[in-house]
């Protein structure tokens, strides 16, 4: 029926629907057949004005006189485009809608649209050409989106870097050399000791960079974040070059020790072994032992101690790191007697294994094979595992760690008890948090006291107020508010650090947990009643949680 109603306008750019007097329209008249009617008059690609179509249908069904006057229900439409800014004005995209029998886009239209959107930087001419070409190829109403302009991200500044100019002796010493027999490694042949000469450069500073500004497609400059700068620091036996402020040079000959932005150079005592022939050793620098430290010997160093063999029933202590190529061995004494082998470090302790010994480190302890029936304390993390994490057992004795414990196996078959405590710093955080909460409450009370004082002052007639009384009170309020915010920031910061530490400082067992293992966090303890597979033990301030690393059910109730 639509073919009797529709016709092209005089300019052929629209379709007019008009009711004819000789045609009767029944109540079932709807838009069915409209598409075919438009095709018959060559208007199949015109844009259909849906609302106008519905209006005409209702007018025609009701015989309204307006239906005989004619209604525009479709029209020719040229291709259109829309410019959209994305990614914080770093990207401009154009969306083209295909023409309805009308004209495709023209170059000036695109240029004008970009200008109206204020896009002026990072414009890609090839992308604009693609938009233009696609406007010729799109079907009526089909949409195509193309990025046409991209801003330039800022290049953030780099922090200052401190580049060593000589090798690190600690790393070199612990790299055993291949012996004369092919395929064998001689643990006593650790290579030549690295030394530096007087006036030799040991570290260079690369200053921080300011970065490079970026720019949005709107032409707005994005300022980069400059890198953090830091200066070289003269260390023991080193000084900053008088010719180059970015160069650190040695003032004495000796062994270098690297720090974050400085180097110490000190004479190092190098011995084949420490035993009866050498006597006890006390040295105000680094001590390097190519062989073993024998029974009953005492070794003290203000620097680092590096040992190419074993420590056996000796007392070895250093303010720096202690690195042992092989093992730390004591004797199996009763629980009441002190350990025959004591190793204490202000820094880190590394070795293959330790047994029946006392280990204490200010920072980390790392053993690659096992730690058996020993008393272990460290300020940070304890790791007992080889590289592939196939070996590494912590069994027997007592272990107290400031941070995280990682091992392959925890405990041992039989009745030997093992006690481990992780995140020993928890109570320190809690005490600090309680103290800060109390300080915050006191600061709140002080602030409220000033508020009440201000209310009382306002009740006093101005003529009776002392000169400068209001200004003094306002100053007190500002100081009290500043103090309140300062304490609140410290409280929130400590709480954030505590929550983060609780997440990080866990006990991770990569392979197996045996029975009779006491797990402790803070004052909370649990004892394993049976063996478990790979497990993680964590603490939420109130209770110890345990979960399988294999995504099995948690087993708290079975511990």
């Amino acid at each position: 029926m639509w073919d009797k109603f529709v016709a092209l306008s005089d300019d052929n750019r629209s379709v007019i629907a008009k009711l004819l007097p000789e045609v009767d329209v029944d109540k079932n008249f709807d838009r069915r057949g409209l598409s075919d009617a438009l095709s018959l008059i060559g208007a199949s690609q015109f844009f259909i004005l849906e609302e106008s179509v519905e209006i005409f249908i209702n007018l025609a069904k009701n015989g309204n006189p307006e239906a005989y006057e004619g209604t525009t229900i479709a029209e020719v439409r040229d291709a259109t485009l829309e410019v959209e800014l994305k990614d914080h004005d770093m990207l401009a995209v154009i969306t083209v809608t295909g023409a309805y029998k009308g004209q495709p886009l023209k170059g000036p239209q695109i240029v004008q649209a970009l200008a109206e959107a204020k896009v002026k930087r990072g414009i890609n001419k090839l992308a604009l050409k693609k938009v233009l070409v696609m406007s010729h190829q799109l079907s009526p109403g089909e949409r195509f989106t193309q990025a046409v302009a991209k801003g330039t991200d800022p290049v953030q500044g780099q922090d200052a870097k401190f580049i060593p100019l000589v090798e690190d002796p600690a790393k070199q010493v612990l790299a055993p050399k291949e012996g004369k027999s092919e395929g064998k490694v001689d643990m006593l042949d650790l290579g030549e000791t690295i030394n530096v000469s007087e006036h030799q450069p040991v570290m260079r500073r690369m200053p921080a960079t300011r970065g490079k500004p970026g720019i949005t497609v709107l032409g707005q400059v994005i300022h980069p974040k400059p890198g953090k700068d830091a200066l070289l620091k003269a260390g023991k036996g080193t000084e900053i070059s008088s010719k180059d402020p970015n160069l650190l040079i040695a003032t004495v000959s000796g062994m270098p020790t690297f720090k974050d932005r400085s180097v110490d150079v000190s004479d190092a005592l190098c011995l084949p072994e420490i035993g009866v022939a050498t006597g006890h050793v006390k040295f105000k620098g680094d001590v390097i032992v190519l062989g073993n430290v024998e029974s009953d010997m005492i070794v003290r160093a203000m620097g680092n101690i590096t040992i190419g063999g074993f420590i056996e029933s000796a007392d070895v202590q250093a303010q720096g790191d202690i690195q042992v190529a092989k093992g730390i061995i004591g004797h199996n004494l009763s629980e009441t007697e002190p350990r025959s082998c004591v190793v204490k470090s202000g820094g880190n302790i590394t070795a293959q294994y330790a047994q029946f010994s006392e280990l204490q480190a200010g920072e980390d302890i790392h053993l690659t094979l096992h730690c058996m029936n020993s008393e272990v304390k460290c300020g940070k993390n304890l790791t007992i595992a080889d590289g592939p994490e196939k070996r590494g057992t912590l069994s027997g004795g007592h272990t107290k760690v400031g941070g995280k414990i990682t091992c392959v196996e925890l405990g041992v078959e039989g009745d030997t008890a093992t006690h481990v405590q992780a995140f020993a710093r928890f109570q320190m955080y809690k005490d600090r948090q309680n103290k800060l909460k109390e300080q915050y409450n006191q600061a709140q009370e002080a602030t409220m006291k000033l508020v009440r004082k201000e209310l009382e002052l306002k009740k006093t007639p101005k003529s009776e107020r002392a000169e400068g009384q209001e200004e003094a009170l306002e100053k007190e309020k500002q100081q009290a508010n500043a103090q309140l915010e300062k304490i609140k920031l410290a409280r929130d910061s400590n709480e954030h650090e505590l929550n983060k530490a609780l997440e990080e400082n866990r006990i991770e067992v990569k392979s197996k947990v045996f029975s009779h293992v006491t797990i402790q966090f803070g004052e909370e303890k649990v004892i394993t009643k049976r063996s478990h597979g790979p497990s993680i033990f964590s603490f939420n301030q109130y209770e110890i949680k345990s979960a399988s690393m294999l995504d099995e059910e948690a087993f708290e109730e079975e511990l």
Side-chain angles (χ1 to χ4, degrees), residues 119-292:
V119 176
K120 59 182 75 171
R121 301 300 295 265
I123 297 173
N124 187 326
K125 293 182 179 179
L126 288 177
L128 295 182
K129 186 175 180 180
K130 185 174 182 180
V131 169
L132 196 61
V133 170
M134 289 302 297
S135 73
H136 288 73
Q137 300 175 357
L138 293 175
S139 303
E142 184 181 359
R143 293 167 66 87
F144 170 74
T145 300
Q146 172 68 46
V148 296
K150 190 176 187 302
T152 302
D153 290 320
V155 177
Q156 305 298 349
Q158 297 291 317
D159 294 345
K161 296 180 180 179
F162 299 89
I163 303 172
L165 301 179
V166 294
E167 292 184 63
D168 187 341
K171 296 178 181 178
Q172 188 266 349
V173 167
L174 290 182
K177 305 300 178 183
E178 190 168 291
K180 294 181 180 179
S181 301
E182 187 175 352
K184 294 185 177 181
V185 174
D186 184 359
M187 293 299 296
L188 298 181
D189 180 14
L190 302 176
E192 294 295 325
T193 302
I194 295 172
N195 285 281
V196 297
S197 303
E198 186 178 1
H199 306 307
Q200 181 179 347
V202 291
M203 178 175 280
R204 176 169 290 281
R205 168 182 173 264
M206 301 294 290
T209 60
R210 297 183 60 84
K212 185 178 179 181
I215 192 166
T216 69
V217 295
L218 301 180
Q220 296 171 339
V221 175
I222 305 173
H223 297 287
K225 182 180 179 181
K228 295 180 180 179
D229 210 354
L231 300 176
L232 275 173
K233 289 178 62 178
K236 177 185 175 184
T238 58
E239 66 179 9
I240 296 172
S241 171
S242 58
K243 298 180 180 179
D244 185 350
N246 293 317
L247 188 65
L248 194 66
I249 60 174
T251 57
V252 296
S253 298
M255 176 178 285
T257 302
F258 290 93
K259 300 181 178 180
D260 287 341
R261 49 194 180 101
S262 184
V263 181
D264 290 342
V265 176
S266 59
D267 293 332
L269 179 64
C270 187
L271 299 169
E273 61 183 17
I274 294 178
V276 177
T278 62
H280 299 316
V281 173
K282 297 181 180 179
F283 188 64
K284 295 181 179 181
D286 295 338
V287 174
I288 299 174
V289 183
L290 299 179
N292 303 324

Side-chain angles (χ1 to χ4, degrees), residues 272-339:
E273 61 183 17
I274 294 178
V276 177
T278 62
H280 299 316
V281 173
K282 297 181 180 179
F283 188 64
K284 295 181 179 181
D286 295 338
V287 174
I288 299 174
V289 183
L290 299 179
N292 303 324
V293 178
E294 297 177 357
S295 298
D296 301 321
M297 303 310 301
I298 297 174
V299 183
R300 298 285 186 273
M302 294 183 67
N304 302 320
I305 297 178
T306 303
I307 298 168
F310 297 93
I311 298 176
E312 184 173 357
S313 294
D315 183 349
V316 179
Q317 300 184 32
Q319 292 185 13
D321 296 338
I322 297 178
Q323 302 181 59
V324 184
K326 294 184 179 179
I328 300 170
I329 307 169
H331 297 301
N332 189 8
L333 303 174
S334 68
E335 292 290 335
T336 58
E337 294 183 81
R339 302 289 179 177

Side-chain angles (χ1 to χ4, degrees), residues 205-463:
R205 168 182 173 264
M206 301 294 290
T209 60
R210 297 183 60 84
K212 185 178 179 181
I215 192 166
T216 69
V217 295
L218 301 180
Q220 296 171 339
V221 175
I222 305 173
H223 297 287
K225 182 180 179 181
K228 295 180 180 179
D229 210 354
L231 300 176
L232 275 173
K233 289 178 62 178
K236 177 185 175 184
T238 58
E239 66 179 9
I240 296 172
S241 171
S242 58
K243 298 180 180 179
D244 185 350
N246 293 317
L247 188 65
L248 194 66
I249 60 174
T251 57
V252 296
S253 298
M255 176 178 285
T257 302
F258 290 93
K259 300 181 178 180
D260 287 341
R261 49 194 180 101
S262 184
V263 181
D264 290 342
V265 176
S266 59
D267 293 332
L269 179 64
C270 187
L271 299 169
E273 61 183 17
I274 294 178
V276 177
T278 62
H280 299 316
V281 173
K282 297 181 180 179
F283 188 64
K284 295 181 179 181
D286 295 338
V287 174
I288 299 174
V289 183
L290 299 179
N292 303 324
V293 178
E294 297 177 357
S295 298
D296 301 321
M297 303 310 301
I298 297 174
V299 183
R300 298 285 186 273
M302 294 183 67
N304 302 320
I305 297 178
T306 303
I307 298 168
F310 297 93
I311 298 176
E312 184 173 357
S313 294
D315 183 349
V316 179
Q317 300 184 32
Q319 292 185 13
D321 296 338
I322 297 178
Q323 302 181 59
V324 184
K326 294 184 179 179
I328 300 170
I329 307 169
H331 297 301
N332 189 8
L333 303 174
S334 68
E335 292 290 335
T336 58
E337 294 183 81
R339 302 289 179 177
S340 64
C341 190
V342 178
V343 179
K344 295 183 178 181
S345 163
N348 304 302
I349 296 176
T350 58
Q352 287 191 19
Y353 59 87
Q355 54 193 41
F356 306 109
S357 301
E358 178 183 346
L359 307 183
Q360 184 173 317
E363 296 188 12
D364 297 338
I365 295 178
H366 187 185
L367 307 175
T368 56
L369 297 180
H370 67 254
C371 180
M372 183 173 67
N373 294 319
S374 296
E375 301 297 313
V376 180
K377 292 182 180 179
C378 64
K380 293 185 179 178
N381 302 322
L382 170 66
T383 302
I384 305 177
D386 58 6
E389 297 184 342
K390 298 296 184 183
R391 295 188 296 176
T393 300
L394 173 57
S395 62
H398 293 79
T399 299
K400 187 175 183 179
V401 175
K404 177 180 180 180
I405 297 176
T406 304
C407 61
V408 179
E409 292 187 348
L410 179 59
V412 65
E413 292 279 8
D415 296 328
T416 301
T418 302
H419 188 289
V420 293
Q421 179 179 358
F423 193 26
R425 295 173 295 158
F426 168 72
Q427 194 58 47
M428 176 195 73
Y429 278 104
K430 289 295 294 182
D431 291 343
R432 186 189 302 164
Q433 191 71 2
N434 292 334
K435 182 178 179 181
L436 288 170
K437 285 181 179 178
E438 179 61 28
Q439 290 177 354
Y440 182 72
N441 292 335
Q442 292 174 358
Q444 277 187 317
E445 180 57 34
T447 302
M448 292 305 299
K449 185 176 180 181
L450 289 173
V451 171
R452 291 191 291 269
K453 187 175 179 181
E454 182 181 36
L455 292 174
E456 290 297 325
L457 179 63
K458 287 181 178 180
K459 295 177 182 179
T460 306
K462 291 187 178 181
S463 59

